[in-house]
Amino acid sequence: MSPEAAEVLRLLTVRGETLAVAESLTGGLVAAEITATPGASRAFRGSVTAYATELKHRLLGVDATLLAERGAVDPQVAAQMAAGVRKALGADWGIATTGVAGPESQDGQPVGTVFVAVDGPSEATFPAIESGKVIRLRLNGDRAEIRMESVRSVLALLLRELAGEQTGNGRAQDTEQNGGT
């Protein structure tokens, strides 16, 4: 259980809101981190692990043309995954991960390229891509390190959005971060 997951769940519970997760490269690790926290069922609706590209379209509603033209490792794909899981599972918030954990590049993107996204109830909070917020990460490390840093990063992004919305201080910035060893 991570402190980020515990705090996300605490804030969601206090607000009476719910969360859904869409995962690709993390393969269920985000949902596992969230559900490791006692009381997660008060706010966690569920998750979709859409590892195969066609499932991103079929289950999460990601635009098929976008997937065909850009591949699954793309900021708009991440945004649509977050919005799609939020809608599909009837949650107030949706978060998503997509990227390349390695050992080889994918969709023309090098290993360590990751997009994490959040989609929430207040469009005014999200002036970035579509109705959500996406952050591009450039992560270092092996496959396991990249996947775990992706989990931490998507939870930290959601935590910042939840805390920012509580204080009326939404932060809309795209950043590139380096992590791992």
Side-chain angles (χ1 to χ4, degrees):
M1 160 176 80
S2 74
E4 292 93 356
E7 183 62 8
V8 160
L9 289 166
R10 186 191 72 74
L11 286 172
L12 288 169
T13 301
V14 165
R15 296 159 61 118
E17 294 177 339
T18 56
L19 173 66
V21 176
E23 300 186 64
S24 187
L25 87 147
T26 49
L29 292 173
V30 176
E33 193 68 28
I34 291 166
T35 58
T37 303
S41 62
R42 288 187 291 251
F44 185 62
R45 297 276 302 155
S47 65
V48 173
T49 301
Y51 211 66
T53 299
E54 79 269 4
L55 293 179
K56 290 171 181 64
H57 169 68
R58 194 163 20 125
L59 299 177
L60 300 171
V62 176
D63 183 83
T65 303
L66 174 66
L67 288 166
E69 290 176 356
R70 297 193 196 165
V73 183
D74 180 83
Q76 289 183 317
V77 170
Q80 289 184 18
M81 287 173 65
V85 78
R86 178 179 170 222
K87 180 180 178 184
L89 300 185
D92 297 299
W93 294 86
I95 58 175
T97 63
T98 188
V100 186
E104 299 172 2
S105 63
Q106 178 185 334
D107 297 330
Q109 299 285 349
V111 172
T113 302
V114 175
F115 295 96
V116 296
V118 61
D119 188 79
S122 174
E123 289 186 17
T125 305
F126 303 105
I129 296 173
E130 295 180 0
S131 65
K133 181 174 181 181
V134 178
I135 292 181
R136 176 192 174 112
L137 306 169
R138 284 290 302 132
L139 302 175
N140 299 313
D142 64 22
R143 181 175 173 81
E145 290 169 324
I146 289 169
R147 292 174 75 214
M148 289 311 297
E149 182 59 22
S150 298
V151 171
R152 190 204 64 73
S153 294
V154 76
L155 290 173
L157 174 61
L158 177 57
L159 188 55
R160 284 193 306 269
E161 292 302 315
L162 288 168
E165 190 174 84
Q166 267 194 329
T167 63
N169 182 22
R171 291 176 248 177
Q173 62 181 4
D174 292 315
T175 62
E176 189 167 306
Q177 301 177 9
N178 289 303
T181 56

